[in-house]
Amino acid sequence: MRQYKKDNPLSYALGMTLVFELIQSHPKQVREVYFHTKHRPNEHTEKLIRQLNDYHIPYQEQDKIFNILSPKDNCFVIAAFEKYESSFSKGKSHIVLVEPENAGNLGTIIRTALGFGIDHLVLIGKHVDFFDPRVIRASMGAIFHVRIVTYPSFEAYKMDYSSQHFYPFMLQTNQILGSAPIESPYSLIFGPESQGLDDGFLSIGTPIRIAHNKAIDSLNITSAISIALYEATKQEFISKGTHHE
Amino acid sequence: MRQYKKDNPLSYALGMTLVFELIQSHPKQVREVYFHTKHRPNEHTEKLIRQLNDYHIPYQEQDKIFNILSPKDNCFVIAAFEKYESSFSKGKSHIVLVEPENAGNLGTIIRTALGFGIDHLVLIGKHVDFFDPRVIRASMGAIFHVRIVTYPSFEAYKMDYSSQHFYPFMLQTNQILGSAPIESPYSLIFGPESQGLDDGFLSIGTPIRIAHNKAIDSLNITSAISIALYEATKQEFISKGTHHE
């Protein structure tokens, strides 16, 4: 057993919350569950072990994997799972990330998207490994409830989803978010953290800018995506009143 | 010279961008500037040294401070500055953070707030040290362009600013952001990352919730504040059209 690597066929959910989220959504992917010898059994442990028995998932006590994957953390349970592929349903809205670089950002974006009801994510080009345990942790388990597909280029994605309404978010336009409605099914498209989308996206769909003043160069990507999701889904939430399921 | 500590009367701006932002906004606070012996002079260096001479700020070549403050980074210039206090102008809108815990979050929030034109921030109760170099870095220098005041309790703050419109953001209400206008001058109030605002804030001003579904427990604080700032300032930006100054 070694440090997690991108080409590893397995990844890991660290901590009780993530392990439950994983088993709830992808029980057949779970290969084994590990308990630290310092783990103190509680009602969550009992519930977890019932689920592991129901799904015939093996489990054992072992400290080595904790030392490798989580040496500093207060983590006492880890699930090893086989990575899986997702496919998209038709007619859904998407978040599209071109060359996302940062694991923590990607996890946060996945979580925020799920909160606003967008569970179809597209990663274009060279991208951070979305099964990296740091992404899983930053998503707080939300990654197990979304579908992620990858494309080598935006052109390849666009060919498969030509009926989407494309909204590239970029500073090089004067069309401001909120000044016109976002039409469904939409694809909200964001560039890499370090530089944003290039000018080529000015000819894709309806480029949009989130208005802010010149005191800052740009919003960070998680702020920008949060705002875009809020604006795109707002009418739906307001018309439904309180929490929608 | 030692590792930065909260009770240190000096703090540090790391890297050329932050050093320029500091000197632009608070030249009299800068005590000394340090260049790493591996620093390669360029046009920025020349400009910086002209400013240092103009303001009579001493500078020297020295590696020790880089080893202490920035051992892993590609950082070749550091400014040491005396911490300073700010005071508020009347009639301004505020971001109010109750017991903020995380340096990176605080820096990001400061930057986002400045981008939406809100440069008055209030920290209530026990809070992360806002002059921590990690906050300064996460703010990308925005901290030097905002005013931050602290209060021991929300009650003390409320007494000083009783004419503000208070909007506590909390999950325990059914009033949804966007369903009614935010009136100026406003105070957008957010609780600690780990637990949010307590029920006591239900009787303060107009409690508001950002609508999201039940697939996630809550939005992270930087997402929530980004969305709140966007909504509160939106009409102003749309009416001004493009970038406003």
Side-chain angles (χ1 to χ4, degrees), chain B residues 208-226:
Chain B
I208 286 185
R209 187 165 59 77
I210 299 171
H212 61 79
N213 63 36
K214 288 180 176 169
I216 65 170
D217 292 332
S218 64
L219 295 167
N220 77 33
I221 191 170
T222 59
S223 290
I225 294 182
S226 299

Side-chain angles (χ1 to χ4, degrees), chain B:
Chain B
M1 191 166 295
R2 294 160 304 163
Q3 192 63 260
Y4 173 81
K5 290 264 169 55
K6 186 169 184 168
D7 56 7
N8 196 336
L10 298 181
S11 186
Y12 305 92
L14 279 65
M16 193 62 88
T17 304
L18 298 190
V19 170
F20 271 119
E21 297 279 346
L22 171 65
I23 292 174
Q24 181 194 335
S25 51
H26 298 278
K28 291 181 180 168
Q29 300 304 122
V30 185
R31 174 100 46 106
E32 189 156 20
V33 169
Y34 306 91
F35 293 95
H36 196 284
T37 52
K38 286 189 184 157
H39 175 68
R40 292 191 193 168
N42 55 29
E43 75 270 34
H44 300 300
T45 320
E46 288 174 28
K47 184 179 167 198
L48 176 58
I49 288 177
R50 276 199 303 277
Q51 293 187 1
L52 295 175
N53 288 330
D54 288 349
Y55 289 115
H56 306 292
I57 298 168
Y59 54 94
Q60 57 166 294
E61 233 180 37
Q62 188 217 85
D63 289 352
K64 191 176 166 195
I65 191 170
F66 293 88
N67 298 332
I68 294 169
L69 293 173
S70 178
K72 291 182 197 164
D73 288 324
N74 252 353
C75 166
F76 299 105
V77 55
I78 291 178
F81 67 96
E82 287 177 45
K83 298 180 185 177
Y84 50 88
E85 296 198 346
S86 299
S87 58
F88 275 9
S89 296
K90 284 193 179 170
K92 297 288 186 174
S93 290
H94 305 163
I95 293 286
V96 181
L97 304 176
V98 177
E99 298 181 7
E101 297 158 348
N102 182 280
N105 285 348
L106 180 56
T108 303
I109 290 163
I110 290 169
R111 178 173 166 78
T112 306
L114 183 65
F116 285 108
I118 307 299
D119 57 2
H120 283 53
L121 283 94
V122 183
L123 308 185
I124 305 281
K126 189 184 173 189
H127 56 81
V128 60
D129 170 20
F130 58 84
F131 275 128
D132 188 311
R134 293 173 298 168
V135 176
I136 297 172
R137 165 163 292 197
S139 85
M140 298 171 76
I143 191 168
F144 300 128
H145 302 283
V146 302
R147 303 174 185 204
I148 301 179
V149 303
T150 64
Y151 279 88
S153 68
F154 185 80
E155 288 65 34
Y157 163 69
K158 193 180 161 200
M159 292 226 295
D160 277 6
Y161 292 95
S162 55
S163 58
Q164 296 285 110
H165 298 275
F166 296 114
Y167 296 95
F169 280 74
M170 50 203 302
L171 297 171
Q172 306 96 311
T173 177
N174 280 323
Q175 171 96 11
I176 290 177
L177 178 69
S179 60
I182 305 277
E183 298 192 53
S184 295
Y186 49 78
S187 294
L188 309 179
I189 308 162
F190 299 85
E193 286 91 333
S194 51
Q195 64 213 46
L197 292 173
D198 64 45
D199 287 350
F201 282 88
L202 284 168
S203 60
I204 306 288
T206 309
I208 286 185
R209 187 165 59 77
I210 299 171
H212 61 79
N213 63 36
K214 288 180 176 169
I216 65 170
D217 292 332
S218 64
L219 295 167
N220 77 33
I221 191 170
T222 59
S223 290
I225 294 182
S226 299
I227 291 166
L229 283 162
Y230 166 76
E231 182 66 37
T233 62
K234 191 169 112 176
Q235 283 315 315
E236 189 185 343
F237 278 103
I238 289 177
S239 64
K240 292 200 182 185
T242 61
H243 270 330
H244 93 171
E245 312 293 308

